[in-house]
């Protein structure tokens, strides 16, 4: 029997492409980003093209994330209230620009999607289910919209 829950985190996982670190280029807000992580992190700094450029040029999504999380760079004031919508918009761009990702997302049917890692309690499940799993929730919302 198929599990009702799809857990993803590593790129090598069956649904690893759901990760923002997956190597799928994203066109977003008039720019091309190496990954959805690059696109997402850059949106923290809409009034700082220099930091956006650093993130855009980052060699890996990990480097992009490190720059985006560096609190010596001032975040946009509304980030906490805007970040879920920004993530959703970036995910929509990613999953509509790559047919194989669109198909993969729809192939999950009505199953629950969970980013499973103890490294994150907001975007993921915290490893033990105590996290918010916002990335999984937004993927399920997008899947519903694309149906």
């Amino acid at each position: 029997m198929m599990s009702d829950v799809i857990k993803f985190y590593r790129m090598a996982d069956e649904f690893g492409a759901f990760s923002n670190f997956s190597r799928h280029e994203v066109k977003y807000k008039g720019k091309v980003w190496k990954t959805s992580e690059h696109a997402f992190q850059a949106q923290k700094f809409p009034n700082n093209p220099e930091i956006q450029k650093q993130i855009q040029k980052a060699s890996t999504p990990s480097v992009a994330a490190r720059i985006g999380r560096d609190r010596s760079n001032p975040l946009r004031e509304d980030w906490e209230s805007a970040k879920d919508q920004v993530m959703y918009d970036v995910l929509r761009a990613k999953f509509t620009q790559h047919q194989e990702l669109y198909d993969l997302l729809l192939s999950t049917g009505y199953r629950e999607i969970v980013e499973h890692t103890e490294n994150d309690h907001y975007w993921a499940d915290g490893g033990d289910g105590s996290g918010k799993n916002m990335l999984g929730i937004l993927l399920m919302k997008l899947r519903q919209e694309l149906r």
Side-chain angles (χ1 to χ4, degrees):
M1 179 190 133
M2 231 176 13
S3 164
D4 288 340
V5 180
I6 292 168
K7 293 183 178 179
F8 72 94
Y9 183 65
R10 292 186 177 74
M11 263 31 74
D13 295 347
E14 181 183 359
F15 293 95
F18 289 176
S19 166
N20 284 319
F21 281 40
S22 77
R23 300 299 183 143
H24 292 88
E25 209 173 69
V26 177
K27 292 176 196 73
Y28 184 70
K29 295 221 166 180
K31 294 182 178 153
V32 176
W33 306 93
K34 290 178 183 147
T35 67
S36 51
E37 186 70 19
H38 285 76
F40 175 75
Q41 292 295 339
Q43 304 319 304
K44 294 176 176 179
F45 313 101
N47 302 319
N48 195 325
E50 198 43 55
I51 296 175
Q52 282 201 339
K53 191 165 289 217
Q54 282 177 30
I55 291 171
Q56 190 175 24
K57 290 184 173 185
S59 56
T60 67
S62 302
V63 173
R66 195 161 43 246
I67 297 167
R69 292 179 187 137
D70 178 352
R71 285 300 149 259
S72 64
N73 300 323
L75 273 178
R76 63 191 258 188
E77 285 182 23
D78 68 342
W79 183 245
E80 281 308 307
S81 62
K83 66 185 179 184
D84 290 358
Q85 186 62 51
V86 169
M87 180 66 82
Y88 188 74
D89 294 343
V90 169
L91 290 171
R92 184 190 295 112
K94 175 181 172 179
F95 283 85
T96 57
Q97 291 168 21
H98 297 278
Q99 185 66 46
E100 74 277 11
L101 296 182
Y102 182 97
D103 294 344
L104 184 65
L105 184 58
L106 290 184
S107 80
T108 62
Y110 291 88
R111 295 162 67 196
E112 185 180 2
I113 300 174
V114 175
E115 184 180 26
H116 180 61
T117 176
E118 57 194 33
N119 300 336
D120 193 323
H121 279 80
Y122 186 78
W123 296 110
D125 68 351
D128 61 3
S130 66
K132 289 190 166 186
N133 186 39
M134 282 308 297
L135 185 56
I137 288 168
L138 292 175
L139 285 166
M140 291 182 285
K141 178 181 171 189
L142 178 61
R143 176 181 66 194
Q144 183 61 37
E145 180 190 316
L146 296 178
R147 269 200 192 106

